Amino acid sequence: MYRQHLSTLLEQTKELHVKAAAIDTKMENNDDGQLEELQKLFEKRQETIVQLSAFTENVGFSWTASDRVKISELKTLEESLRPMVKNLYRTFGEQLNRISQTKQMSKRYSGAYQNMGAGGSFIDKRK
């Protein structure tokens, strides 16, 4: 039964790798729902890891040679997936910071010309 979970974990990791590689670092270049789909894949993968860990905690459990091959492939995929996800997280965070800064600046100057005097005259309202 654990072999099925191990195979599922490997397939989910491969799918995650493909989906993460397809996401552009500029948010506006991605299709709607791409990030949500990636998040759902991470959640499903985490569930599979929890199920697999339940088997590995049994007394006398050991990996077979074929299992070790799959685990080695998982490690390789994980090593290449981790930097991709970190880069996406970093660049999206930077973009969100820029967006929030732009919003703050636009709010600061939003009412600058709202109280214009009538007839083309400018009345300075000093306090």
Side-chain angles (χ1 to χ4, degrees):
M1 185 70 177
Y2 79 90
R3 288 189 178 112
Q4 180 182 1
H5 290 300
L6 185 61
S7 296
T8 302
L9 180 63
L10 182 59
E11 291 303 315
Q12 288 172 336
T13 306
K14 286 179 182 178
E15 187 177 1
L16 266 172
H17 194 275
V18 169
K19 299 278 183 182
I23 294 178
D24 194 346
T25 54
K26 289 188 123 187
M27 288 189 296
E28 62 267 6
N29 294 344
N30 294 314
D31 294 333
D32 291 339
Q34 245 181 326
L35 292 176
E36 290 83 4
E37 186 178 344
L38 190 68
Q39 180 63 33
K40 286 178 185 176
L41 286 172
F42 271 114
E43 290 169 1
K44 286 181 183 178
R45 182 174 175 258
Q46 184 61 36
E47 290 172 9
T48 305
I49 290 171
V50 169
Q51 293 169 352
L52 185 61
S53 68
F55 286 103
T56 60
E57 292 173 356
N58 292 335
V59 175
F61 177 83
S62 64
W63 298 107
T64 64
S66 64
D67 295 340
R68 292 179 201 272
V69 171
K70 288 181 181 179
I71 291 170
S72 175
E73 191 176 349
L74 268 169
K75 285 180 181 179
T76 304
L77 284 169
E78 184 70 29
E79 287 173 4
S80 64
L81 181 65
R82 189 174 292 131
M84 274 193 284
V85 172
K86 281 184 179 181
N87 186 35
L88 286 173
Y89 181 77
R90 183 183 51 77
T91 57
F92 284 177
E94 289 171 359
Q95 290 175 41
L96 287 173
N97 284 339
R98 270 188 255 126
I99 289 171
S100 67
Q101 288 174 357
T102 303
K103 283 183 181 180
Q104 288 174 357
M105 291 301 289
S106 66
K107 286 179 185 178
R108 185 178 297 170
Y109 295 107
S110 65
Y113 299 104
Q114 296 297 326
N115 298 328
M116 292 292 290
S121 62
F122 178 74
I123 302 171
D124 192 7
K125 294 184 179 180
R126 292 185 185 165
K127 294 182 182 180

